[in-house]
Amino acid sequence: MNTKKSKTKTIAFLGIMGALALSLSFLESLIPPLPGLPPGAKPGLSNVVTMFLASSSGVGSAFAITFFKAAFAGITRGTTAMLMSAAGGLLSTLAACILLRSKKIKFGYIGIGIICAVCHNIGQLTVACILSGTWALITGYGPLLMLFAVATGFVTGTTLKLVLPALDKIINRI
Amino acid sequence: MGSGDVLKTAEKLKNINKRALIAVAVCVALIVGIIVFDSVRNSREYQTTAIAMGTVINLRLFGPDGKENAELVIENINETEKALLSRNEKNSDIYRINANPGTAVSVSAETADIISKSVDVAKNCGGVFDITVGEVTKLWDFGGDKQRLPTEKEITEKLSDVRYSAIKVTNTTVRIAEGQTLDLGAVGKGAACDRVKALLSATNTDSAVISVGGSLLLYGKKDFNIGIVNPENDLASMGTLKLSDTFVSTSGNYEKFFEQDGKTYHHILDATTGYPADSRLSSITVICDSGLLSDALSTACYILGYNQSIELLNEYDAQAVFVFKNKTVRVTDGIKDSFTLTDESFVVAK
Amino acid sequence: MRKLFRRTDILIIAGVLLLSFLLFLPNLFNNNELIAQIYVDGEKTEEIKLDAVDEAYTFSPKENTVISVKNGAICFTKATCRDELCINSGWLSSKGQTAACLPEKIVITIKGADKTDMITY
């Protein structure tokens, strides 16, 4: 195996995945804040990318994109955004890695999407509480955020299942 | 065609159907999401309290851009005070009218309309409500430094200039007679509500309930529960009215008053006597499709009392809740079903 | 090949719904809280949980205006207006009570009972 070529391939591949994740994030940012939900709450479609990587590529690449997203958020939107993205992303990617790579855990894509969305929200909520100095946000935003996670998890899980064949092809070609 | 081919086709069909099903499910989820998002967005509420027109303004706006629209509302109310109604702002319409008695002063069409309608109410209530009562109000100075009981002589003297019939209004000019002073204190808040309604119609606000010192604007299709304050205790409401798309004003003897020599003098002056109205009512709440009218009528009806108010209210197609000093409550037919008594110490008359 | 949806996913959804409900419960018990809201120039600048106040303290939302806070009550103690109407409103300690300093455009209001959307007076 030509290690130089495979390294280039990996970088190119991660580049594509990163760009994909960022464009999805950007599209989501166009949605105005919803009442009852914290200002940054979004469907998390870019998580489809990390979930795909967790299942078909590797733990390393999944976390690489997660950090990449957080760093990008930090550069473009500031420290708070970076922390929120990092906390939500890490917890969600961790869940994705465990659930998608385990042969024993047989949840459907929708179920996994929901769990990842819930983890994403828990991570962000925790950071929000630490930053604003009060745990009241948990009972304040928590209930609606969890319901929201069921819906978004459904969408991301289903989207993942739909695009998996296409993304797998990309991975196999590279 | 063998059984193997049939199986293969069956498999293919199954896969297509599954894919179609999933595609449809995602589309439905997205559509539902968008619908929920849109309806939640529209029920978004923005609430704030501000000070304008010398009183407390409470705003609750529903729909997009709540904060921006709320700011526009406050600006509009300040504008109403500054440009139209203020007795003190040097260039306001009212100031200039008062400063030039005997002259036809050029004013905004809105001010002319407000004055014209006020004169109309004065006519229909026998002059107990009269916006030319300004000089008499000054004598009493309710809530001011010189608050006192004026002498009979002072009142009689100033009362001679209280004559709404001396006002001459055209579409754009107003003229009062020498010695007269206009005081729109009794209708200013309602008039401000009218202008706010016009403003909101030009914004993307879905609905709103706004209180300008207790005079309310209910805007949009949304139903609101409006509380009528307990005259004895302004912490609690004694009843609620379920209303939408209307104006509500209350006149009561508890708002501004002072005591002198054991007697209580409240601020609702009977323009025909120059003294606080001697009424069996503690308060009256009028509901009408105009803010100006609901304000004017609440003042007029408080002074007239229950029996003589009914005809006046009918003339303007207005409804009312009368709260008597003996804690009886009378509700006009049009809103009988919308009123709920919440304080059992009051009794609704049949 | 992992399936899109399995029966266990229903358990997951149920679990999250339960979690949502559990997080919501504490909100039902908050109704007895006395919360004071301070509005300055038309914007809400503070929310104070009066029940949670241990030591009485004062603060100045604007120069020359002082608001005092103690457990269960709040009031204006210094103001720039001549008539000092705001100070004369005294300690606010019940839901729905309001005190306003008109010249400074500062309003203190205690969050009211939810029965009515607005009060006419």
Side-chain angles (χ1 to χ4, degrees):
Chain A
M1 239 343 213
N2 191 336
T3 45
K4 193 170 179 198
K5 199 175 181 194
S6 76
K7 230 188 191 177
T8 320
K9 274 190 194 171
T10 321
I11 295 178
F13 172 66
L14 285 179
I16 296 175
M17 289 297 110
L20 189 58
L22 290 185
S23 28
L24 286 169
S25 275
F26 172 68
L27 286 176
E28 282 185 342
S29 69
L30 298 176
I31 303 175
L34 302 179
L37 296 171
K42 297 291 183 285
L45 282 177
S46 54
N47 287 330
V48 174
V49 175
T50 41
M51 283 201 283
F52 159 67
L53 291 174
S55 78
S56 307
S57 177
V59 177
S61 31
F63 278 101
I65 295 301
T66 308
F67 283 120
F68 178 57
K69 276 205 288 180
F72 188 76
I75 296 173
T76 52
R77 291 184 291 144
T79 327
T80 330
M82 181 176 75
L83 291 174
M84 297 288 271
S85 178
L90 285 175
L91 206 56
S92 165
T93 310
L94 186 63
C97 289
I98 296 175
L99 296 173
L100 287 167
R101 300 183 75 78
S102 158
K103 297 263 164 50
K104 284 192 196 158
I105 298 179
K106 288 203 185 142
F107 301 150
Y109 281 106
I110 289 180
I112 295 181
I114 292 176
I115 293 181
C116 287
V118 170
C119 288
H120 193 92
N121 287 338
I122 290 178
Q124 293 192 318
L125 207 53
T126 311
V127 167
C129 284
I130 294 176
L131 289 180
S132 55
T134 168
W135 294 108
L137 295 179
I138 296 185
T139 48
Y141 288 124
L144 217 49
L145 217 50
M146 291 300 116
L147 293 180
F148 191 58
V150 172
T152 60
F154 180 93
V155 172
T156 48
T158 313
T159 313
L160 180 64
K161 164 93 165 122
L162 280 179
V163 303
L164 208 51
L167 289 176
D168 271 338
K169 272 195 198 155
I170 298 178
I171 241 190
N172 289 332
R173 289 250 179 100
I174 292 182
Chain B
M1 242 298 275
S3 53
D5 292 325
V6 173
L7 276 170
K8 263 197 201 161
T9 333
E11 282 289 325
K12 270 198 188 153
L13 279 172
K14 238 206 226 164
N15 284 338
I16 295 174
N17 279 345
K18 236 196 217 168
R19 289 234 178 100
L21 207 63
I22 294 174
V24 168
V26 172
C27 284
V28 169
L30 285 176
I31 291 174
V32 169
I34 291 173
I35 294 175
V36 168
F37 162 63
D38 196 56
S39 56
V40 168
R41 184 177 78 119
N42 285 338
S43 60
R44 200 176 346 167
E45 177 186 348
Y46 179 75
Q47 188 174 15
T48 192
T49 301
I51 305 232
M53 227 170 179
T55 188
V56 179
I57 315 283
N58 280 308
L59 303 96
R60 293 180 66 178
L61 281 80
F62 297 84
D65 302 325
K67 183 162 192 236
E68 290 74 19
N69 290 330
E71 279 167 23
L72 291 176
V73 170
I74 301 292
E75 225 177 274
N76 181 281
I77 295 175
N78 282 326
E79 165 84 14
T80 302
E81 174 75 357
K82 197 167 172 219
L84 303 180
L85 307 177
S86 171
R87 280 173 71 169
N88 304 316
E89 276 288 331
K90 294 230 152 52
N91 272 317
S92 83
D93 287 344
I94 295 301
Y95 180 86
R96 291 183 299 110
I97 296 171
N98 284 338
N100 298 291
T103 334
V105 179
S106 216
V107 296
S108 73
E110 284 177 284
T111 305
D113 188 52
I114 290 172
I115 292 178
S116 161
K117 292 201 168 105
S118 301
V119 170
D120 199 52
V121 175
K123 232 181 260 174
N124 289 321
C125 74
V128 297
F129 158 77
D130 189 329
I131 54 175
T132 58
V133 78
E135 284 298 320
V136 180
T137 324
K138 263 193 216 166
L139 290 175
W140 291 87
D141 198 30
F142 284 100
D145 295 331
K146 308 189 199 86
Q147 182 176 272
R148 65 185 176 91
L149 169 64
T151 66
E152 214 177 301
K153 185 160 176 259
E154 288 174 307
I155 292 185
T156 319
E157 197 191 321
K158 295 292 181 187
L159 205 56
S160 58
D161 291 316
V162 178
R163 279 168 307 140
Y164 63 84
S165 54
I167 302 179
K168 299 279 173 271
V169 192
T170 70
N171 281 348
T172 50
T173 66
V174 177
R175 192 184 77 173
I176 59 177
E178 288 286 342
Q180 286 194 317
T181 300
L182 289 185
D183 176 5
L184 270 70
V187 300
K189 299 186 207 139
C193 286
D194 285 324
R195 295 189 84 228
V196 170
K197 177 172 178 174
L199 167 75
L200 287 177
S201 312
T203 66
N204 54 7
T205 304
D206 286 325
S207 51
V209 58
I210 297 178
S211 164
V212 179
S215 290
L216 311 183
L217 157 66
L218 275 65
Y219 174 82
K221 296 206 186 93
K222 200 173 154 84
D223 278 335
F224 290 106
N225 281 325
I226 303 301
I228 296 181
V229 97
N230 181 340
E232 294 176 342
N233 158 23
D234 64 4
L235 296 178
S237 51
M238 42 70 70
T240 59
L241 279 165
K242 197 174 182 141
L243 304 163
S244 67
D245 193 25
T246 188
F247 295 85
V248 183
S249 290
T250 302
S251 282
N253 62 1
Y254 47 84
E255 239 186 298
K256 274 193 222 173
F257 61 90
F258 65 84
E259 283 176 46
Q260 195 166 317
D261 302 328
K263 244 193 130 192
T264 311
Y265 300 94
H266 65 82
H267 76 294
I268 305 175
L269 300 177
D270 180 334
T272 60
T273 66
Y275 283 90
D278 191 12
S279 177
R280 283 193 300 146
L281 296 167
S282 336
S283 80
I284 173 179
T285 300
V286 174
I287 301 101
C288 188
D289 61 8
S290 148
L292 170 70
L293 289 178
S294 63
D295 253 12
L297 290 173
S298 73
T299 305
C301 292
Y302 179 87
I303 302 169
L304 288 176
Y306 178 71
N307 291 316
Q308 293 183 301
S309 296
I310 302 297
E311 202 182 313
L312 184 63
L313 291 167
N314 283 337
E315 211 162 316
Y316 286 98
D317 209 13
Q319 304 293 326
V321 176
F322 298 81
V323 182
F324 293 82
K325 285 176 179 165
N326 63 7
K327 294 184 94 163
T328 325
V329 179
R330 283 189 185 273
V331 182
T332 55
D333 291 333
I335 45 168
K336 266 211 160 84
D337 295 327
S338 322
F339 178 75
T340 312
L341 185 71
T342 54
D343 185 330
E344 300 287 314
S345 68
F346 290 83
V347 177
V348 181
K350 290 288 166 249
Chain C
M1 240 325 234
R2 196 183 291 277
K3 284 203 179 147
L4 176 67
F5 193 82
R6 303 212 63 205
R7 276 197 298 250
T8 39
D9 289 2
I10 297 182
L11 284 179
I12 294 177
I13 294 178
V16 176
L17 291 179
L18 183 63
L19 180 61
S20 165
F21 179 68
L22 290 176
L23 292 177
F24 178 72
L25 286 181
N27 288 318
L28 297 174
F29 295 104
N30 284 345
N31 281 342
N32 289 327
E33 278 189 345
L34 224 54
I35 300 178
Q37 297 172 319
I38 318 278
Y39 290 87
V40 178
D41 294 324
E43 303 231 357
K44 179 154 63 166
T45 53
E46 292 217 37
E47 264 205 12
I48 304 175
K49 288 204 175 134
L50 297 175
D51 300 313
V53 175
D54 289 321
E55 274 182 50
Y57 66 93
T58 61
F59 68 98
S60 292
K62 276 195 186 179
E63 228 182 290
N64 292 324
T65 312
V66 177
I67 294 180
S68 295
V69 184
K70 66 180 186 188
N71 184 292
I74 185 172
C75 77
F76 281 102
T77 42
K78 186 170 174 234
T80 55
C81 46
R82 280 173 314 155
D83 49 15
E84 297 197 336
L85 276 175
C86 48
I87 298 178
N88 286 340
S89 300
W91 287 101
L92 306 180
S93 56
S94 307
K95 287 194 181 177
Q97 282 183 300
T98 304
C101 184
L102 297 179
E104 294 290 352
K105 301 213 165 101
I106 302 175
V107 184
I108 306 177
T109 171
I110 310 256
K111 241 174 152 175
D114 300 314
K115 279 178 299 175
T116 59
D117 296 317
M118 194 66 78
I119 298 207
T120 174
Y121 56 90

